[in-house]
Amino acid sequence: ALMVHDFTQIIRGWIFLLITGLGALGVFFIQLNISQTGDFNLLPLTRLFLGAPLIMFSLLVTLTTFIFSGQLIHRAKQHKMNLMLDVTPSENWQWLSAKVGAITLIQILQLLIFLCTSLLIQALNGYHTWELDLYCFHLFVLVMPTLFVWNVTSYFVHSLLPNIFLGLFFLACLWLGGS
């Protein structure tokens, strides 16, 4: 119940809608440019969409992971409820697993938005040979585990650092150093 509450609270926020909407529009225009180059038009194949557009969109998913994991970790302290949460009979791992699960649902939702945007571009270009197995394998078997590792890492960093912006800076440096 807590995971669903955190998930719905995040997706109703204007920051999530803005970042995801701009990301979807960016992917839309990148994919539109990939399929229409110069004198000839390329078929909008699935493998073209799983290249540069997915790298850009997974960067946005990682950014939203950093932002919203920090927001969930520091929310109780911002509302002066952290002491009340400490005396509840719930274990700390229950609170933390609900927050990690909410961000994982956010990541899955954003990957599904990428999938729908890609299929929309393929349909608009008249290409109806959709390789859903390739999309699902690439998004949920190859990309999702990396996003989950960043999810857990961001909770670890935000739990250690007292300021959300300091945590974002440290995670950005960690991400740039790892890539």
Side-chain angles (χ1 to χ4, degrees):
L2 184 62
M3 179 177 66
V4 174
H5 178 276
D6 288 339
F7 173 72
T8 55
Q9 185 178 15
I10 289 172
I11 64 170
R12 289 182 184 166
W14 66 272
I15 296 173
F16 174 77
L17 295 174
L18 180 71
I19 291 174
T20 305
L22 288 176
L25 278 175
V27 165
F28 182 81
F29 288 120
I30 288 173
Q31 290 176 343
L32 198 60
N33 288 337
I34 285 175
S35 61
Q36 297 174 356
T37 58
D39 297 334
F40 59 92
N41 290 339
L42 295 174
L43 287 175
L45 299 173
T46 303
R47 62 181 170 83
L48 292 176
F49 293 157
L50 292 176
L54 181 60
I55 291 171
M56 193 274 302
F57 198 76
S58 52
L59 170 68
L60 283 173
V61 174
T62 306
L63 176 69
T64 57
T65 300
F66 293 166
I67 291 171
F68 291 117
S69 63
Q71 182 183 9
L72 288 178
I73 287 288
H74 295 292
R75 184 176 55 190
K77 192 183 298 180
Q78 288 172 347
H79 295 294
K80 309 270 191 264
M81 294 295 292
N82 56 340
L83 297 176
M84 187 173 268
L85 287 178
D86 289 340
V87 297
T88 58
S90 301
E91 297 289 330
N92 286 340
W93 65 267
Q94 291 173 330
W95 296 104
L96 189 62
S97 63
K99 292 174 184 180
V100 169
I103 296 296
T104 303
L105 288 176
I106 293 292
Q107 292 171 340
I108 291 171
L109 176 67
Q110 288 179 322
L111 291 178
L112 288 174
I113 289 171
F114 176 82
L115 175 69
C116 292
T117 305
S118 301
L119 294 176
L120 178 68
I121 288 290
Q122 286 181 331
L124 288 176
N125 286 329
Y127 185 77
H128 299 288
T129 308
W130 294 332
E131 298 173 291
L132 290 176
D133 55 343
L134 183 60
Y135 275 120
C136 290
F137 179 79
H138 198 83
L139 292 176
F140 297 111
V141 175
L142 297 179
V143 174
M144 191 63 200
T146 305
L147 292 174
F148 184 75
V149 168
W150 279 114
N151 186 2
V152 174
T153 304
S154 67
Y155 276 106
F156 177 72
V157 169
H158 281 294
S159 296
L160 290 179
L161 299 175
N163 189 346
I164 189 171
F165 298 111
L166 185 62
L168 286 173
F169 176 75
F170 186 79
L171 284 167
C173 291
L174 190 66
W175 181 80
L176 288 173
S179 61

